[in-house]
Amino acid sequence: IEDVEAQMWALRGLSWLLYLAGVAAALGFARCLFEDESLALSAAALFAFLPMSARQAAVVNNDVLAKFLVAVVLLVAARWLTGKARRWEPALALVLCLLGLMSKPTAASAAIALLAVPFLRSRRLADRGRRLVFVIGLLLVAAVAGYFWLNQHNAALPRSLVGLRTRLQVGFSAETYVTIGRTLVGSFGWESRFLPDGFVLGVLAVGALGLVLAVRALLSRSTPASRPLLLLCLLVVGVQIAMVVLRGAARGRYLVPALPAASALIVTGLLASWPADTRRRAIQLFALALVALEAVFLWGGLLFQEHLRWSL
């Protein structure tokens, strides 16, 4: 394609297809976690309709590719952990993990998820050899990705101890967390303008409450979700946050690859603990809240910041 506009439309079409495939993978992952189909659909809806996640379907960058690959790897990891995976699926997950690492360093949480599955899944001594072989294969995947990163002079890798210390200082600063929160909920104009701070704080508070309640349910064993998969989700989300801090870059989109796991945790905390007779009403309110979030993002942010503001 020679025309630049036609190139953009073609690549945006690819982003849209990757986004849809990522939603399907997130739904499959949630179905491994929940027996209640409505809870699985709620987790997939959060993945699909979180505004900054949905917006990746219309842009041309590698974030949507990394998110798709991580979602598929998490799906395979969940199937493997629950004993539903076929023999060739772990090998496929290793290949996709390598592609994810080569696409964007933020996909590294997929490697951690695969590393954790053999240890969460099996307690038998006879399986230690299989786990060792798989771990060695995963380390080789990480080594190949690291080789490519070094040859590309990838900015994700610090080049000195001074650089690492500077990144940690930035990563642990309050300003970094504020910017991450703003850009995760809604940002415009190349991440230079945001939704109102009060609204952003409210959305983040609801998400944080869901995560805290999910941890509480996991510790109390009072959740209908799969406990090993919840542990896997906590690990993936924690690693993703740690990577952003170590990177020293305040960008909410760097957290998006862990969205399938985060969505499952939030749904577990906010919805799964309700009694069966009232859970349906809670899920309806959750869906309405997602619609309201989309409306504020579209009419209160995207329309004005990206279109009307430039024509005033």
Side-chain angles (χ1 to χ4, degrees), residues 283-299:
I283 290 173
Q284 290 174 346
L285 293 175
F286 180 79
L288 289 174
L290 277 179
V291 173
L293 176 59
E294 288 280 3
V296 172
F297 180 87
L298 176 61
W299 300 104

Side-chain angles (χ1 to χ4, degrees), residues 158-180:
R159 297 293 175 175
S160 65
L161 291 177
V162 175
L164 178 60
R165 184 179 64 180
T166 302
R167 290 187 177 196
L168 290 176
Q169 290 175 345
V170 174
F172 284 105
S173 66
E175 183 180 356
T176 295
Y177 295 120
V178 170
T179 305
I180 288 175

Side-chain angles (χ1 to χ4, degrees), residues 184-195:
L184 181 62
V185 175
S187 63
F188 315 95
W190 294 99
E191 299 178 326
S192 62
R193 297 184 297 275
F194 315 100
L195 291 172

Side-chain angles (χ1 to χ4, degrees), residues 1-120:
I1 303 175
E2 296 182 357
D3 182 69
V4 175
E5 185 175 355
Q7 292 176 8
M8 291 294 292
W9 276 110
L11 291 174
R12 284 184 170 184
L14 177 61
S15 294
W16 179 64
L17 292 175
L18 289 171
Y19 164 78
L20 293 180
V23 172
L27 177 58
F29 174 75
R31 282 173 171 165
C32 293
L33 191 72
F34 303 106
E35 293 183 359
D36 189 339
E37 177 71 6
S38 60
L39 293 176
L41 289 171
S42 298
L46 182 56
F47 176 90
F49 298 117
L50 186 70
M52 292 304 290
S53 174
R55 197 180 183 191
Q56 289 181 347
V59 297
V60 179
N61 61 30
N62 54 355
D63 288 302
V64 68
L65 176 60
K67 182 176 67 173
F68 161 71
L69 291 171
V70 172
V72 177
V73 171
L74 287 177
L75 172 59
V76 174
R79 287 174 53 82
W80 187 15
L81 190 56
T82 55
K84 299 177 182 178
R86 299 178 181 178
R87 292 185 177 181
W88 51 267
E89 290 187 26
L92 173 64
L94 282 176
V95 174
L96 295 178
C97 186
L98 176 60
L99 292 176
L101 291 172
M102 294 174 63
S103 301
K104 195 175 184 69
T106 53
S109 56
I112 302 300
L114 286 182
L115 182 63
V117 169
F119 299 94
L120 290 173

Side-chain angles (χ1 to χ4, degrees), residues 114-283:
L114 286 182
L115 182 63
V117 169
F119 299 94
L120 290 173
R121 181 175 183 267
S122 176
R123 299 176 183 176
R124 294 181 303 176
L125 295 177
D127 285 342
R128 286 185 176 178
R130 295 181 181 179
R131 285 186 289 181
L132 180 60
V133 171
F134 183 80
V135 169
I136 292 175
L138 191 57
L139 291 176
L140 290 175
V141 166
V144 172
Y147 174 78
F148 277 99
W149 289 352
L150 289 172
N151 285 342
Q152 295 171 351
H153 302 284
N154 196 304
L157 299 178
R159 297 293 175 175
S160 65
L161 291 177
V162 175
L164 178 60
R165 184 179 64 180
T166 302
R167 290 187 177 196
L168 290 176
Q169 290 175 345
V170 174
F172 284 105
S173 66
E175 183 180 356
T176 295
Y177 295 120
V178 170
T179 305
I180 288 175
R182 285 174 169 174
T183 54
L184 181 62
V185 175
S187 63
F188 315 95
W190 294 99
E191 299 178 326
S192 62
R193 297 184 297 275
F194 315 100
L195 291 172
D197 288 343
F199 181 80
V200 171
L201 184 60
V203 173
L204 293 176
V206 172
L209 176 63
L211 294 176
V212 171
L213 292 177
V215 174
R216 179 183 177 184
L218 179 61
L219 294 176
S220 63
R221 300 187 179 185
S222 61
T223 172
S226 168
R227 294 188 75 250
L229 280 176
L230 283 180
L231 285 172
L232 182 67
C233 290
L234 282 174
L235 177 63
V236 170
V237 172
V239 167
Q240 198 74 36
I241 294 174
M243 287 193 303
V244 174
V245 172
L246 291 174
R247 176 67 173 83
R251 296 292 183 272
R253 55 191 169 89
Y254 293 165
L255 294 174
V256 172
L259 191 54
S263 298
L265 290 173
I266 292 173
V267 167
T268 298
L270 295 180
L271 303 178
S273 59
W274 288 89
D277 55 342
T278 58
R279 186 182 297 165
R280 180 177 178 84
R281 179 58 58 87
I283 290 173

